[in-house]
Amino acid sequence: MVPGESVQQLVTETTSLKHRVQQLAQEHRTLQERLEGARSNLRFADKRIADLEAQLLERDHS
């Protein structure tokens, strides 16, 4: 391999890897947002379940 060719190959590979890092960073941000949304939904569901359980207990004791 000619020295210039190996430099060009490294530049090409570096560019490709930088692009992949950007893609993975975007995917990470998207997954973080989805996780935050899922956690929020879970907190809401947990609260709703607790409220319904309390209503059932109140109804059973009446």
Side-chain angles (χ1 to χ4, degrees), residues 1-57:
M1 210 185 271
V2 179
E5 289 178 355
S6 60
V7 169
Q8 182 57 45
Q9 185 178 12
L10 289 173
V11 169
T12 300
E13 187 174 344
T14 299
T15 301
S16 177
L17 289 172
K18 284 181 181 180
H19 180 69
R20 184 67 180 137
V21 166
Q22 289 174 345
Q23 286 178 325
L24 291 171
Q26 178 60 44
E27 184 178 338
H28 181 262
R29 282 190 296 274
T30 300
L31 290 171
Q32 285 291 106
E33 291 169 2
R34 289 178 61 192
L35 178 59
E36 185 178 322
R39 285 178 173 158
S40 177
N41 289 341
L42 181 59
R43 283 190 299 272
F44 175 81
D46 283 344
K47 184 181 181 324
R48 181 71 177 129
I49 289 168
D51 290 345
L52 290 171
E53 287 173 340
Q55 287 176 15
L56 285 172
L57 287 173

